[in-house]
Each structure stands twice: as C-alpha cells, then as structure tokens.
Amino acid sequence: MKHIIAVIVENKSGVLTRIAGLFSRRSFNIDSLSVGATDNPDYSRMTISVHGDRDTLEQVIKQLSKLINVIRVSELDPADSLERELAIIKVSVDRESRSEVIQIVDIFRAKIIDVSQRSMIIEVTGDEDKVEAMIQLLRQFGIKELARTGKVSMVRGAKVIKA
C-alpha cells in the first residue's frame, strides 16, 4: 500500500541521514524523497513516499516522532493530496529538430529555460505520468542530462490521517 509522510524537521545537518537510516533499519524502501526549506528557514519539510503495510508504517511514524530535530510527522491521505514532480531536461537539438522540440514543450505546457546552438534545457512540472511521457518523447532527440525532484505532495485541505 502506498503511503505519503510529511515530516517537519529542524533545518540542521545530519537530520536527513538519521531519517533515512530509520527507514533502512526497518527495511522500508523509500519510493521518493523530497526535502526543502519551509517559509521559516529554521525548518525543512520532507515529503516521503513509501510502500508498505500499516503496522510497519505506524512503527516508523512513532519512531520518526521520537527523533531529535523532528518537529511533526503526518501521514497524508493520497486521495486528498496533490502530487507534483519537477524535471529539468537537457536535450540535443539541431536546426531540423529545434521546432519539433518546441512543439512538444508547448503541448506539455513546459518551459524552455535555456537555449544554445546544440541543446535546449526544458523545465516540466506535473504528475509522474506527464513528466515520464515528456521524457519518452524527448528521448528520440538525445537527452544529455536529466534531473527529477521526485514526488512532492501537499494536502488539499487541512486533512491528515495521523499527526
């Protein structure tokens, strides 16, 4: 079963290592992990997507709550959450392929963020399927570099499963 966990932590070194170690010790694989500062630079938010059974998840949440530097742990309800992913893709282009790449970018409502004689850097955001579909279409041109954030989730309202 898929679970999304939001963790508010103090923005200090070593916190990510302790949290990842907790998952590792429990043999709980992290599907995606996204970390970023919140509106308060003293805190970061981790969004962790995992698959596992309910009992193991409850243990992990309890143990996360006990870690130093962890402020709050919440399990988000996937049905009430918005998920987005960001990808930045550097694609090979030449005179002939440039217009075709631009058309793909327009269709996916992505952005061209840098252009040179031989490449374009494209930014795309959306759900995992949208990002993957765009990557597949751009493969024919030659992807030079690719960076993806992984899933980032946020609850639509104020509803969380467990806090």
Side-chain angles (χ1 to χ4, degrees), residues 89-103:
I89 310 159
K90 187 175 190 178
V91 180
S92 296
V93 293
D94 55 24
R95 285 184 178 174
E96 293 79 37
S97 63
R98 189 177 305 274
S99 63
E100 194 174 348
V101 170
I102 291 170
Q103 284 181 333

Side-chain angles (χ1 to χ4, degrees), residues 90-136:
K90 187 175 190 178
V91 180
S92 296
V93 293
D94 55 24
R95 285 184 178 174
E96 293 79 37
S97 63
R98 189 177 305 274
S99 63
E100 194 174 348
V101 170
I102 291 170
Q103 284 181 333
I104 292 170
V105 168
D106 288 344
I107 290 168
F108 280 86
R109 286 183 249 135
K111 294 179 188 175
I112 297 170
I113 56 176
D114 190 58
V115 177
S116 71
Q117 290 290 334
R118 297 191 176 125
S119 67
M120 285 182 161
I121 300 177
I122 299 159
E123 173 187 309
V124 59
T125 58
D127 63 26
E128 186 177 12
D129 292 338
K130 175 184 177 181
V131 171
E132 191 59 41
M134 183 162 188
I135 290 169
Q136 292 306 318

Side-chain angles (χ1 to χ4, degrees), residues 22 60-68 70-73:
L22 174 72
V60 168
I61 289 173
K62 287 177 186 175
Q63 290 179 10
L64 277 173
S65 299
K66 293 177 185 177
L67 287 178
I68 296 172
V70 171
I71 307 302
R72 187 178 73 220
V73 180

Side-chain angles (χ1 to χ4, degrees), residues 2-159:
K2 177 183 173 183
H3 304 281
I4 302 168
I5 303 169
V7 185
I8 304 296
V9 298
E10 292 177 5
N11 195 4
K12 295 185 176 178
S13 62
V15 175
L16 178 59
T17 302
R18 284 192 289 283
I19 289 176
L22 174 72
F23 280 85
S24 175
R25 285 189 303 277
R26 289 303 222 157
S27 297
F28 219 52
N29 188 43
I30 297 173
D31 292 331
S32 89
L33 170 67
S34 179
V35 183
T38 63
D39 57 332
N40 181 343
D42 294 334
Y43 300 106
S44 290
R45 177 190 164 120
M46 295 182 174
T47 304
I48 306 167
S49 176
V50 296
H51 279 82
D53 63 64
R54 169 68 41 204
D55 293 336
T56 306
L57 179 73
E58 285 182 15
Q59 280 300 110
V60 168
I61 289 173
K62 287 177 186 175
Q63 290 179 10
L64 277 173
S65 299
K66 293 177 185 177
L67 287 178
I68 296 172
N69 306 119
V70 171
I71 307 302
R72 187 178 73 220
V73 180
S74 304
E75 181 188 1
L76 307 181
D77 183 348
D80 291 329
S81 298
L82 297 172
E83 289 185 352
R84 291 292 179 263
E85 187 173 338
L86 164 70
I88 299 176
I89 310 159
K90 187 175 190 178
V91 180
S92 296
V93 293
D94 55 24
R95 285 184 178 174
E96 293 79 37
S97 63
R98 189 177 305 274
S99 63
E100 194 174 348
V101 170
I102 291 170
Q103 284 181 333
I104 292 170
V105 168
D106 288 344
I107 290 168
F108 280 86
R109 286 183 249 135
K111 294 179 188 175
I112 297 170
I113 56 176
D114 190 58
V115 177
S116 71
Q117 290 290 334
R118 297 191 176 125
S119 67
M120 285 182 161
I121 300 177
I122 299 159
E123 173 187 309
V124 59
T125 58
D127 63 26
E128 186 177 12
D129 292 338
K130 175 184 177 181
V131 171
E132 191 59 41
M134 183 162 188
I135 290 169
Q136 292 306 318
L137 283 174
L138 293 174
R139 282 198 197 285
Q140 65 184 316
F141 304 102
I143 294 177
K144 291 182 168 186
E145 290 183 60
L146 171 66
R148 292 174 84 163
T149 60
K151 296 176 193 168
V152 178
S153 300
M154 185 168 287
V155 175
R156 288 187 177 125
K159 182 180 179 183

